[in-house]
Amino acid sequence: MTGTAVMTGILPQEFAELQPFAGKWAKPTEYERAAERRSATPEQLKAFYDAILLRLPDILERIDRYPLGEVTGGDRLLLHMALSLAEIAPHVEFYKSDPHVPFAFKEERMFGMHSGIAD
Amino acid sequence: MNAQSKMPLLAPYPELGEAPIPVEPYLSQDYYDKEIEKIFRRDWLVVGREEEIAKPGDYKVKRLDFARTSVILIRGKDGKIGAFHNVCRHRGNKVVTETGGEETLGSNKAAVVTCRFHGWVYNAKGELVDVPQQQKFPACFDRAENGLIPIHVDSWAGFIFINLAETPSRTLTEFLGGVVEHFDGYPFDDITHCHTYYAHINCNWKTGMDAFCEGYHVPTIHAGSFPGLTDYWQGDVAFNGEHRSIAFYSNGMNPPTPVGTAANALFGASIALARDEPFPLPKLVNPGRHPNWGFEQTTVFPNFLIHVGAGLWFTHQFWPVAQGKCLWEGKYYLKAPKTNAQYWAQRYAVILQRNAWLEDTATMEDTQEALLSGVLKQMNLQDDEIMLRHQFHIVNGRVNGE
């Protein structure tokens, strides 16, 4: 693996308390993470934010054990969850946990293409 | 006139006037047709960055809907970039199938492109180098006369420009004029990690441009994503021919938040978050070296906005598609991250910027629809909207000229 852990969605044992959030938030692309955010309730955003923020320093330390762009296994799921935190952070920190960007162009009509590193 | 009127940005440019500008240029089909004929088909237009086609044989196809064509940009074995209409000289099929939509990237080791209809092969100079079953064509058919139809192409600071005119009236250097010196030394080539967003928007291309060319909207439109940038001011207005520059200063940055602060400590990648490290700028950018300088915006006429900040830069481009339709492309450039944690930090900054762009683009269709009512005849512009005023004068001069 990337193999087993990514397929089964099992986080490293040290992060077991985040396991209930992995099914929704360990998504490999910005497109999917944004879609999960839009389909979440404000309460779901806040619950995930509060839980993962406590472990953010540990996750960043973990993913930096790998060369850039080469995180594998359960740690790759943690990277995806950290990227989901980046995706929802403005909503919790600035938009009162509104799952949508307030007063915005319809998000589904804006497309992204990013050079370089795959999530 | 407003007795307390203060227009320090506009004051040195009395030729721009103080009167409202007309709405007609945003609504008239005739005006649009003239813009395409007299501007977009005659001037140099940015279509990419050199690093997108870095190696010999790399190519990029970009749609140019306003001209109902698309351009193949291909780097030859000699390192030179050729530009050609994506039209096969046989029966006109697209040589490169545009699988990528607006932009299709590809690479060919032999530095050729091959039409998949009947297999005609063209090299990076546009020469037709192979025709399957050529013996079945009549004697009058000459490969040498049937290369790809060329488009003028040139580069500045890594930006690839094309010009659709048969004979451009100006070289790229003449066209850019003072813009070249303005950006002298800015490390575009060193900050190349690109995050791109795009959308088709139902508005005139200028309605889109306008929304990005003034700071007046920041306290309202960006109250969500950039709550710390509301106390802003503009300065350093510079006009270089058709091109224009203006700087944005701010008395604040976004308030510290747990995730924003964590990301910013790993990589300063946002215009809304403070950066401490010094960053060398061209002498004409933030000439006073003011600590509250945020970024500067230069419009490369007609449709390309370059924003340079400290350690990051980003662009907007509005491509006319029809009178009331355009393609918006936003590209955000950062230095390549060195670690996975830096990559995470950059994504936070880019997502915040993406959301700000969703706030910007939200106004454009509403504005266009309201203008279509026909009830508004002119627009009132304040001092911070001087770039819109300059755009109107330049575009109008060209549309009504010769």
Side-chain angles (χ1 to χ4, degrees), chain B residues 282-293:
Chain B
K283 67 178 191 304
L284 294 176
V285 176
N286 187 13
R289 297 301 186 244
H290 196 291
N292 289 32
W293 181 83

Side-chain angles (χ1 to χ4, degrees), chain A residues 20-104:
Chain A
F21 299 99
K24 184 169 176 66
W25 297 111
K27 292 287 157 63
T29 64
E30 176 184 0
Y31 183 84
E32 290 167 276
R33 292 188 290 269
E36 292 293 349
R37 186 247 304 153
R38 286 194 297 271
S39 72
T41 63
E43 294 73 27
Q44 281 178 305
L45 290 186
K46 189 69 170 61
F48 171 58
Y49 176 92
D50 288 342
I52 193 172
L53 187 61
L54 291 171
R55 301 302 305 276
L56 181 64
D58 302 326
I59 294 172
L60 295 176
E61 185 274 322
R62 262 300 291 198
I63 62 177
D64 268 354
R65 296 177 192 175
Y66 299 83
L68 180 63
E70 296 177 22
V71 184
T72 57
D75 293 336
R76 191 170 178 80
L77 299 172
L78 291 172
L79 168 61
H80 293 159
M81 291 173 78
L83 290 165
S84 281
L85 174 63
E87 175 69 43
I88 70 159
H91 296 260
V92 175
E93 296 179 343
F94 291 143
Y95 315 147
K96 302 185 172 75
S97 291
D98 186 337
H100 295 268
V101 181
F103 306 107

Side-chain angles (χ1 to χ4, degrees), chain A residues 30 87 93 95 109 119, chain B residues 197 225 257 343 347 354 365:
Chain A
E30 176 184 0
E87 175 69 43
E93 296 179 343
Y95 315 147
R109 292 177 58 196
D119 298 339
Chain B
Y197 294 93
S225 295
T257 61
Y343 173 67
R347 288 304 313 169
R354 176 200 72 191
E365 293 186 349

Side-chain angles (χ1 to χ4, degrees), chain B residues 89-300:
Chain B
R89 290 300 296 270
H90 175 213
R91 276 164 45 207
N93 192 46
K94 288 188 176 183
V95 177
V96 179
T97 309
E98 291 161 19
T99 52
E102 298 306 322
E103 299 190 339
T104 298
L105 292 164
S107 190
N108 178 280
K109 278 185 184 155
V112 298
V113 286
T114 303
C115 181
R116 64 179 297 282
F117 201 170
H118 302 94
W120 287 32
V121 180
Y122 302 89
N123 67 18
K125 291 176 183 158
E127 295 161 344
L128 179 56
V129 292
D130 190 44
V131 174
Q133 303 180 33
Q134 190 181 335
Q135 71 280 6
K136 293 187 184 172
F137 281 88
C140 64
F141 172 74
D142 183 355
R143 267 187 4 206
E145 290 175 4
N146 286 284
L148 291 174
I149 297 159
I151 295 173
H152 296 275
V153 62
D154 203 350
S155 294
W156 159 73
F159 295 99
I160 306 169
F161 289 73
I162 54 123
N163 189 314
L164 292 174
E166 210 158 294
T167 310
S169 62
R170 295 175 285 185
T171 65
L172 176 62
T173 305
E174 289 166 349
F175 169 76
L176 290 170
V179 170
V180 173
E181 189 198 348
H182 190 86
F183 284 120
D184 184 36
Y186 190 84
F188 294 111
D189 291 338
D190 193 38
I191 305 174
T192 56
H193 200 71
C194 181
H195 304 258
T196 297
Y197 294 93
Y198 67 95
H200 282 91
I201 303 176
N202 295 316
C203 71
N204 184 262
W205 67 278
K206 299 187 299 301
T207 307
M209 291 280 289
D210 289 358
F212 280 116
C213 287
E214 41 85 0
Y216 190 23
H217 71 277
V218 172
T220 40
I221 287 295
H222 297 310
S225 295
F226 292 157
L229 301 187
T230 53
D231 186 8
Y232 80 94
W233 72 96
Q234 298 180 198
D236 308 339
V237 171
F239 297 128
N240 283 299
E242 293 113 320
H243 319 293
R244 58 197 82 101
S245 300
I246 194 163
F248 292 74
Y249 295 83
S250 168
N251 273 333
M253 289 284 163
N254 271 4
T257 61
V259 176
T261 302
N264 205 43
L266 286 161
F267 201 106
S270 174
I271 56 167
L273 295 168
R275 271 179 308 275
D276 294 329
E277 72 267 39
F279 184 83
L281 291 169
K283 67 178 191 304
L284 294 176
V285 176
N286 187 13
R289 297 301 186 244
H290 196 291
N292 289 32
W293 181 83
F295 59 91
E296 190 203 73
Q297 172 191 79
T298 290
T299 302
V300 176

